[in-house]
Amino acid sequence: MSMQAVALVDWGTSNLRVWLVDAAANVLAERQSPEGMGTLTPDRFAGVLESHLSALGADQGLPVVVAGMAGARAGWIEAPYVDTPAELTDLHLKAVSAPGIDRDVRILPGVCQRTSGAEDVMRGEETQLLGAVASGLSDALFCLPGTHSKWVSLEGGRISRFTTVMTGELFQLISRQSILRLSIGDGRAAADHPGFAQSVEEALGGDFSLTGRLFSIRAQALLSGADEASAASRLSGLLLGAEIAAMRPRLGDGQRVQLIGSGALTDLYAAALTLAGLEAVSLDGGELVRKGLISAAKALFPHRFPEIAP
């Protein structure tokens, strides 16, 4: 068996992933768990991590690099944000040592933007973007779909600016709690539904107002009997079209957008971006966060990686 070099941890709000890797960055073992930051008090992080490392057969004293919500204010210990423009290959310089554990555990910082009126924060995504830089993508525009989607501009390996868009949460709130819930019911939005494409194009057109168009979803159901899938696809199309329209100032014609994610939501984004005349390239978020953690681990613990040790 290869020698263990380091343990990598992606600690989200609702999930935890742990990998053991060797000096060539090969994954030796991995575990996933629903023990995200949102389920833990600060005093429980050390025990949870040790239980997973033990189950994986981690060496005693194996160092660990952690990304994500373990470094949030309500997490294990706060790893303060790095300000934009943020040099991703320098994230490790601001890593914080985790308390209460008998091994060297470093938690990577998040990134913040203090621009007046465009204040923003991220925690976790910056490590995926470090993985993208490690893969050779240092100048690119990224979209990370989610409950709170992120649009991030990378210039020379630095996060120059980013924007969080609450489209996913708005879809949930509107479809479950507004009058539109009566038309959407359990309907699911589909990227290949004609109503989705039509609504994206409507939102990308001139004189569009999201608040002025939403009620048409309810009216369509009442007047023409539009089904739940049509209503859900229309709501999704209007919201995604409005999101892309808001990003227009940073989008050139035919520009390539790097999509980090997987599943139905990412498919909807890819379809909407294509309708907007952009090229969507899909990247694997799990693979990128692992690459980002490896990049940070090599900088933090060079002695664990013989090929780069001086």
Side-chain angles (χ1 to χ4, degrees):
M1 179 173 164
S2 301
M3 295 284 290
Q4 298 172 11
V6 67
L8 311 175
V9 179
D10 180 17
W11 216 319
T13 303
S14 46
N15 288 293
L16 163 67
R17 294 181 77 178
V18 184
W19 298 272
L20 292 192
V21 297
D22 66 14
N26 298 309
V27 175
L28 305 173
E30 65 180 287
R31 278 173 75 87
Q32 287 198 54
S33 152
E35 292 160 299
M37 182 272 289
T39 68
L40 302 174
T41 47
D43 58 326
R44 290 196 52 219
F45 282 82
V48 167
L49 179 58
E50 276 301 343
S51 71
H52 287 289
L53 291 173
S54 169
L56 288 170
D59 295 339
Q60 201 168 359
L62 186 74
V64 184
V65 183
V66 182
M69 298 304 291
R73 199 165 292 171
W76 191 346
I77 184 173
E78 186 173 12
Y81 297 111
V82 173
D83 284 42
T84 52
E87 185 78 60
L88 290 169
T89 53
D90 286 349
L91 284 177
H92 68 280
L93 299 175
K94 301 288 187 181
V96 172
S97 292
I101 191 164
D102 290 332
R103 64 174 78 233
D104 195 349
V105 178
R106 310 284 182 95
I107 301 176
L108 295 173
V111 172
C112 74
Q113 179 172 274
R114 298 183 191 272
T115 315
S116 180
E119 291 87 352
D120 219 323
V121 294
M122 69 168 74
R123 204 175 276 286
E125 294 90 351
E126 72 296 316
T127 307
Q128 291 180 313
L129 294 162
L130 174 57
V133 171
S135 309
L137 276 174
S138 0
D139 292 275
L141 177 64
F142 294 83
C143 175
L144 298 88
T147 305
H148 297 154
S149 298
K150 304 260 188 233
W151 288 75
V152 187
S153 299
L154 276 198
E155 296 175 29
R158 286 187 192 87
I159 295 177
S160 55
R161 62 172 171 167
F162 67 100
T163 302
T164 302
V165 190
M166 291 175 56
T167 301
E169 185 168 4
L170 283 173
F171 182 89
Q172 290 171 358
L173 289 168
I174 293 168
S175 62
R176 292 177 189 171
Q177 295 186 39
S178 80
I179 184 98
L180 300 188
R181 75 189 187 283
L182 303 175
S183 301
I184 291 169
D186 297 322
R188 288 180 175 270
D192 59 356
H193 193 290
F196 175 77
Q198 184 188 330
S199 302
V200 168
E201 285 170 348
E202 211 174 295
L204 290 167
D207 75 347
F208 173 76
S209 157
L210 181 63
T211 51
R213 213 61 66 92
L214 286 173
F215 189 74
S216 68
I217 297 170
R218 179 63 182 149
Q220 278 181 353
L222 293 169
L223 299 174
S224 60
D227 61 18
E228 293 182 344
S230 298
S233 296
R234 178 157 174 75
L235 175 59
S236 178
L238 291 176
L239 288 169
L240 279 184
E243 176 176 334
I244 294 167
M247 293 300 126
R248 273 222 174 106
R250 63 190 81 173
L251 293 166
D253 284 342
Q255 180 164 353
R256 181 174 292 182
V257 179
Q258 311 287 337
L259 269 182
I260 300 179
S262 59
L265 181 60
T266 305
D267 293 343
L268 288 165
Y269 270 81
L273 288 165
T274 303
L275 287 162
L278 302 159
E279 183 189 350
V281 181
S282 288
L283 303 172
D284 181 324
E287 186 183 324
L288 287 182
V289 79
R290 207 166 58 240
K291 280 186 176 177
L293 284 162
I294 278 284
S295 177
K298 286 179 174 178
L300 287 165
F301 307 114
H303 59 286
R304 306 291 302 186
F305 298 88
E307 82 278 9
I308 59 168

